[in-house]
Amino acid sequence: MKLLIVDDEEHLVECMVASLSWSEVGITDISTAYSGKQALDVMEDDPADLVITDVRMPGLNGIELIGAIKSRWPGTVCMMLSGHAEFEYVQEGLKHKVSHYLLKPVKDEELIAAVREAVDGLLAEKEQLRTYIQSQSSIHRNLPVLRANLLNNLIQGRSWNGRKLAEELNLYDIPVRVGDEVSLILIRIEDRKRYYGTSDLPVMGFAVTNIVEELLADGYGCWSCEDLYGHLLIVVNNNPEGEKGQSLERLADESRRIVNQLLRLTVSVILSPTGVFPENLEELYQRCVTTVRSQIGNDNDIVVRLNGENSRVAPHVVKSLYTPPLLAHLLEAGNWTGAREKLEEIFREWSSDYRGSNEHLSEIDYAIKAAFSYFVHKNGRMLADYRLHKFEDLKGDDELKHWASSMLDKLQEEMNAELSDSRHSLVSQIQQFIQEHLSEDVSLQAIADHVFLHPTHISKVFKKETGENITDYLLRLRMEKAVFLLKDSKYKVYEVAGMLGYKNPTYFIKVFKEHFSVTPQEFRE
């Protein structure tokens, strides 16, 4: 961060530059100016991130300087420094959005605290801007993937919030809106003559999707993805002119012909009835998938049109077992609250829809054990440690629910203990690094680089585990070592300052006096 100090009292400026440890609050470059005009010249050559200016100066005063800076460099943070506390100065400062109004003579710790607060604010703004730019760039680069993931989540039955879904549809530029009437086109690609290798199929899927979307472009809005079974799925917004059903059938047949002609592939196409988006989307999708299995089978090069009268066997699975997020995924993510809510959802569905059915209770039993077994093996443990390797008689619903809840508690307790050990280890690494580098300019970033973690994260972990900020811990260690070194008369005060990482002995003396209420020399005497 670049700092510009402006005051017509040259000695005051020089004292501020020399006596304070600016690097500790993130200031890496300091410029000075002794008038408002000179300050603007400095800003022209090399704009500062932060400006501290006196209010009363000959020529261009501090208020006018801040106004000029804000008009040309709006991102620069300005502070007012004045020996006058007139209310109109404060009002003018507020108009120009100054971050602080400090009265002379300002205490060093007050000035440093204000600068630290301003620097933290600037860093937060820059991080927010960087994150926003990265997110927008990432959305643009990954738009096809984001669209496909959203559609896959909806057809798999993931719960949705109308407002959030509407925002995502708009953000991803998807030509479908909540409440629209839609149909589904499900396409199974068939390479019966083995023209292509396995590695070529994703490219062929992309080519087939392009052909179909190009044919639909004149009259339909469409949105596509590849489902979990490798089928191509296209949501069609039914807003074209003319006969919808006939038009879709014609386009499906035309796409089948073009794919065969250009790519030497055959495709089977299922056209769903219409439904309301997104309420009917999962049901329409399941009807298409069932049709592939029950009506097409191993046949190929077929177009099937479903209508509202087509019926299929009503499913009676415990749906919440297979609706994202799955219990196994919640466990893997360490989302213990979500895992408990998932168990509640599963047993609530069984109670309301299948109570008394051992058939469905068995389904729940197998699925929950499978999720726990996956998690146990994923974390390097053995099933025998949790009695998951034994096939026991089916439990009643209350007993199964209690067992599942107890197992979840046990796993969470073990994982939390592991997390605590990891945090203790991290704190030990931080403390050791600081102790070994006391004579250097130890910064939070240097510590973060050493442990390969973000500075914000290590600050939070250290505070949570020790109850002390890293900067306070560093200061305490330095002062304790200062006492030890000062007891040895062979070291001069400036040598002690250097051994503790203070480049400026004057600043070390100030810090020592603030900590012990005596100067180093007085302590020694």
Side-chain angles (χ1 to χ4, degrees), residues 64 73 98-101 122 159 171 183 190 224 235 245 259 265 291 342 356 358 383 403 422 471 482 503 507 516 525:
E64 293 167 337
W73 300 278
V98 297
S99 66
H100 294 79
Y101 185 93
L122 279 168
S159 59
L171 180 63
S183 295
E190 299 144 351
S224 62
V235 178
V259 168
L265 294 168
T291 301
K342 189 65 169 181
N358 284 340
L383 300 182
W403 172 84
S422 173
T471 52
K503 296 178 182 178
Y507 183 68
F516 294 109
E525 293 170 354

Side-chain angles (χ1 to χ4, degrees), residues 38-58:
Q38 188 181 3
L40 289 177
D41 291 339
V42 172
M43 290 292 290
E44 285 284 357
D45 292 338
D46 190 11
D49 300 293
L50 176 63
V51 174
I52 301 175
T53 180
D54 188 22
V55 172
R56 287 195 173 183
M57 295 185 294

Side-chain angles (χ1 to χ4, degrees), residues 96-196:
H96 294 296
K97 297 181 179 179
V98 297
S99 66
H100 294 79
Y101 185 93
L102 304 172
L103 292 178
K104 293 180 179 179
V106 62
K107 294 181 179 179
D108 290 346
E109 59 269 22
E110 184 182 355
L111 179 57
I112 284 292
V115 171
R116 178 184 286 111
E117 186 178 332
V119 168
D120 289 346
L122 279 168
L123 290 175
E125 284 182 14
K126 288 186 177 183
E127 178 65 21
Q128 187 176 14
L129 179 60
R130 185 184 66 82
T131 302
Y132 174 76
I133 292 172
Q134 284 185 340
S135 67
Q136 293 300 306
S137 175
S138 178
I139 287 173
H140 180 73
R141 288 196 310 271
N142 299 297
L143 206 52
V145 175
L146 293 169
R147 288 170 173 164
N149 287 345
L150 178 58
L151 182 50
N152 262 303
N153 284 336
L154 292 173
I155 62 176
Q156 290 171 41
R158 186 185 289 271
S159 59
W160 48 271
N161 174 282
R163 181 176 178 181
K164 185 173 184 291
L165 177 58
E167 290 175 353
E168 290 189 56
L169 293 171
N170 185 59
L171 180 63
Y172 302 157
D173 196 25
I174 297 170
V176 178
R177 293 292 175 264
V178 173
D180 281 355
E181 189 178 71
V182 298
S183 295
L184 295 186
I185 301 176
L186 187 142
I187 301 172
R188 186 179 72 181
I189 299 176
E190 299 144 351
D191 183 18
R192 301 291 179 178
K193 296 184 179 181
R194 306 284 182 178
Y195 283 117
Y196 302 101

Side-chain angles (χ1 to χ4, degrees), residues 21 23-24 437-443 446 474 478 500-501 503:
S21 183
S23 61
E24 291 190 3
H437 296 81
L438 271 183
S439 62
E440 303 170 17
D441 186 11
V442 181
S443 67
L474 175 60
R478 281 176 165 165
L500 296 175
K503 296 178 182 178

Side-chain angles (χ1 to χ4, degrees), residues 111-401:
L111 179 57
I112 284 292
V115 171
R116 178 184 286 111
E117 186 178 332
V119 168
D120 289 346
L122 279 168
L123 290 175
E125 284 182 14
K126 288 186 177 183
E127 178 65 21
Q128 187 176 14
L129 179 60
R130 185 184 66 82
T131 302
Y132 174 76
I133 292 172
Q134 284 185 340
S135 67
Q136 293 300 306
S137 175
S138 178
I139 287 173
H140 180 73
R141 288 196 310 271
N142 299 297
L143 206 52
V145 175
L146 293 169
R147 288 170 173 164
N149 287 345
L150 178 58
L151 182 50
N152 262 303
N153 284 336
L154 292 173
I155 62 176
Q156 290 171 41
R158 186 185 289 271
S159 59
W160 48 271
N161 174 282
R163 181 176 178 181
K164 185 173 184 291
L165 177 58
E167 290 175 353
E168 290 189 56
L169 293 171
N170 185 59
L171 180 63
Y172 302 157
D173 196 25
I174 297 170
V176 178
R177 293 292 175 264
V178 173
D180 281 355
E181 189 178 71
V182 298
S183 295
L184 295 186
I185 301 176
L186 187 142
I187 301 172
R188 186 179 72 181
I189 299 176
E190 299 144 351
D191 183 18
R192 301 291 179 178
K193 296 184 179 181
R194 306 284 182 178
Y195 283 117
Y196 302 101
T198 304
S199 61
D200 298 320
L201 292 180
V203 178
M204 293 302 103
F206 180 74
V208 172
T209 301
N210 279 346
I211 290 170
V212 177
E213 289 186 343
E214 188 171 335
L215 289 171
L216 292 169
D218 289 340
Y220 294 88
C222 52
W223 168 24
S224 62
C225 75
E226 180 180 311
D227 73 3
L228 296 175
Y229 311 111
H231 303 132
L232 302 180
L233 185 71
I234 301 175
V235 178
V236 179
N237 193 339
N238 290 315
N239 291 316
E241 297 179 359
E243 293 292 328
K244 300 174 186 176
Q246 291 297 322
S247 179
L248 277 181
E249 287 180 5
R250 181 182 61 79
L251 291 171
D253 195 58
E254 179 70 6
S255 65
R256 183 175 60 87
R257 184 187 64 80
I258 293 174
V259 168
N260 183 260
Q261 181 181 346
L262 295 181
L263 304 177
R264 294 186 295 180
L265 294 168
T266 57
V267 293
S268 291
V269 183
I270 313 297
L271 303 175
S272 82
T274 59
V276 177
F277 177 83
E279 289 93 328
N280 304 135
L281 196 63
E282 183 190 5
E283 179 187 351
L284 295 177
Y285 170 68
Q286 291 299 334
R287 287 193 62 180
C288 290
V289 172
T290 301
T291 301
V292 172
R293 183 183 69 249
S294 62
Q295 295 187 33
I296 297 180
N298 291 325
D299 294 336
N300 60 84
D301 203 20
I302 295 173
V303 175
V304 178
R305 173 72 184 192
L306 305 178
N307 58 47
E309 296 178 358
N310 285 88
S311 61
R312 64 186 180 96
V313 177
H316 53 89
V317 298
V318 182
K319 184 178 175 182
S320 53
L321 285 172
Y322 314 104
T323 302
L326 303 180
L327 178 60
H329 297 160
L330 292 167
L331 293 173
E332 189 175 12
N335 186 350
W336 307 108
T337 300
R340 286 187 174 80
E341 291 173 352
K342 189 65 169 181
L343 288 176
E344 288 292 334
E345 180 187 0
I346 291 167
F347 286 106
R348 187 165 54 247
E349 181 182 353
W350 181 85
S351 180
S352 63
D353 296 347
Y354 304 111
R355 190 164 190 84
S357 169
N358 284 340
E359 181 91 7
H360 293 88
L361 199 59
S362 294
E363 182 183 6
I364 293 172
D365 188 23
Y366 296 146
I368 291 177
K369 281 183 177 177
F372 284 143
S373 298
Y374 168 77
F375 182 76
V376 166
H377 276 162
K378 183 82 173 182
N379 286 275
R381 291 167 168 77
M382 303 301 292
L383 300 182
D385 298 335
Y386 303 87
R387 296 182 60 82
L388 287 167
H389 65 304
K390 292 189 175 182
F391 294 95
E392 300 178 349
D393 293 336
L394 179 67
K395 304 175 177 64
D397 61 310
D398 288 337
E399 187 181 355
L400 179 58
K401 188 174 182 179

